[in-house]
């Protein structure tokens, strides 16, 4: 399964440079169970200028199929480059269903 799309950063977000975007493809089909990571992509040198919308293209390749067909994408843009979510980082906050061959726009907001 390959999913492509764009991360959308609105113009109200603060300016940043040299950030790292982590995109996770997760199997969320099992109730009362943690999401299982099916694929992951990392983009470096992500930048944004306040006052203008930024779009960052991505592709995630799955290493496995979801157990129930219910897969979602989650995005975290880290200003310090690690996977821990900290104040001022940006994260996706909506349910972003993943469909093979589909193209998504995933909005992120500041934590």
């Amino acid at each position: 399964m390959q999913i492509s799309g764009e991360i959308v950063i609105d113009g109200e977000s603060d300016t940043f440079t040299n950030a790292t975007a982590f995109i996770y493809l997760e199997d969320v089909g099992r109730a009362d169970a943690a999401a299982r990571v099916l694929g992951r992509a990392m983009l470096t040198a992500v930048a944004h200028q306040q006052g203008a919308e930024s779009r960052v293209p991505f592709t995630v390749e799955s290493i496995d199929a979801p157990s129930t067909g219910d897969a979602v994408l989650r995005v975290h843009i880290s200003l310090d480059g690690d996977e821990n979510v900290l104040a001022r980082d940006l994260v996706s906050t909506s349910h972003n269903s993943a469909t093979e061959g589909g193209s998504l726009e995933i909005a992120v907001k500041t934590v």
Side-chain angles (χ1 to χ4, degrees):
M1 173 184 265
Q2 180 174 311
I3 310 294
S4 296
E6 292 181 316
I7 302 166
V8 180
I9 306 164
D10 69 30
E12 294 178 13
S13 296
D14 290 340
T15 297
F16 60 84
T17 59
N18 205 31
T20 303
F22 298 96
I23 303 99
Y24 303 95
L25 176 61
E26 298 176 326
D27 179 353
V28 295
R30 294 181 53 209
D32 298 328
R36 182 172 60 105
V37 176
L38 301 172
R40 179 178 177 268
M42 182 176 79
L43 307 172
T44 57
V46 176
H48 169 71
Q49 181 67 42
Q50 187 176 30
E53 180 181 87
S54 297
R55 292 179 171 266
V56 182
F58 70 86
T59 299
V60 178
E61 190 76 37
S62 174
I63 57 172
D64 198 5
S67 59
T68 63
D70 194 9
V72 299
L73 284 166
R74 178 172 57 91
V75 174
H76 166 216
I77 297 179
S78 174
L79 300 186
D80 66 357
D82 70 21
E83 293 187 72
N84 297 317
V85 177
L86 302 173
R88 297 188 56 239
D89 284 356
L90 294 94
V91 297
S92 56
T93 59
S94 61
H95 184 92
N96 299 290
S97 294
T99 306
E100 184 164 14
S103 182
L104 293 171
E105 290 185 355
I106 301 177
V108 292
K109 299 290 183 189
T110 303
V111 173

